[in-house]
Amino acid sequence: MKNILIINGHPDKESLCYQFAKSYKTGADHARANCELIHLVNLDFDPILRYGYRKRTELEPDLLAIQKKISAADHLVFVYPTWWGTQPALLKGFIDRVFLPKFAFAYRDNSVFWDKLLKGKTARLIVTMDTPKWYYKLIYRSPGHNAMKKGVLEFCGIKPVKITSFAPIKTSNPEKIKNYLLKVEKLGKQLK
């Protein structure tokens, strides 16, 4: 049985991302996966890595629990909006605090290289945007997608990382939103 962890990085419980996360879970549950949905807004943690890697900041119980869930997961699903070209501060702070050295990666002594400690896992990004997809890719060069895929997940050994973007949301009518939700549920059913 595949273990799936869905992480909703949108801080608003009435957001479309919240609905997408629930739709993915519905699909994964239908496929009989072992699936858990976490809404970051419900966790109790300081999103600021106060000392960088210079000095250790103890992890709150919610973050320790999440690290265990990430370790146990075969597939991670991140659901979030694109704000100012990248992910919201809540999700960025979560990444800063959770994807730490000796958990997600380990620097090698006297080397510019590192060990990827989360190998064997796959991921899916489900991202909403108001910017048209073509504009985000051609003009902005997909900074948020690259940051999550290459700068975080692949850096830690998670591969492949697939991206599903929905845009522009602000001009999507109810019928289009309904189709988006069905597409996300189908991704869950396919365990992708």
Side-chain angles (χ1 to χ4, degrees), residues 31-140:
R32 301 193 192 285
N34 181 18
C35 185
E36 186 169 357
L37 170 55
I38 303 292
H39 300 284
L40 295 185
V41 71
N42 294 336
L43 301 183
D44 184 20
F45 72 99
D46 180 357
I48 300 171
L49 186 63
R50 302 230 172 244
Y51 308 104
Y53 300 144
R54 179 181 61 81
K55 181 178 168 183
R56 181 175 170 83
T57 301
E58 293 303 318
L59 292 177
E60 295 86 348
D62 282 351
L63 295 186
L64 289 170
I66 284 285
Q67 282 188 332
K68 288 179 184 173
K69 292 174 194 295
I70 290 171
S71 293
D74 301 306
H75 185 64
L76 302 171
V77 179
F78 290 87
V79 183
Y80 59 92
T82 295
W83 291 346
W84 293 106
T86 189
Q87 65 268 30
L90 177 64
L91 179 55
K92 177 64 168 78
F94 170 81
I95 291 165
D96 286 350
R97 294 292 316 283
V98 171
F99 286 75
L100 295 170
K102 298 184 182 166
F103 169 72
F105 66 96
Y107 289 122
R108 297 178 187 169
D109 291 338
N110 302 314
S111 176
V112 296
F113 298 104
W114 65 98
D115 295 314
K116 300 174 180 189
L117 302 182
L118 297 178
K119 283 184 177 177
K121 300 178 188 310
T122 59
R124 160 97 35 205
L125 308 179
I126 298 173
V127 186
T128 61
M129 301 184 287
D130 283 333
T131 303
K133 288 190 261 187
W134 66 267
Y135 194 90
Y136 187 72
K137 182 177 181 178
L138 292 175
I139 304 302
Y140 294 150

Side-chain angles (χ1 to χ4, degrees), residues 137-149:
K137 182 177 181 178
L138 292 175
I139 304 302
Y140 294 150
R141 300 190 179 231
S142 306
H145 293 353
N146 290 328
M148 279 295 288
K149 180 178 179 172

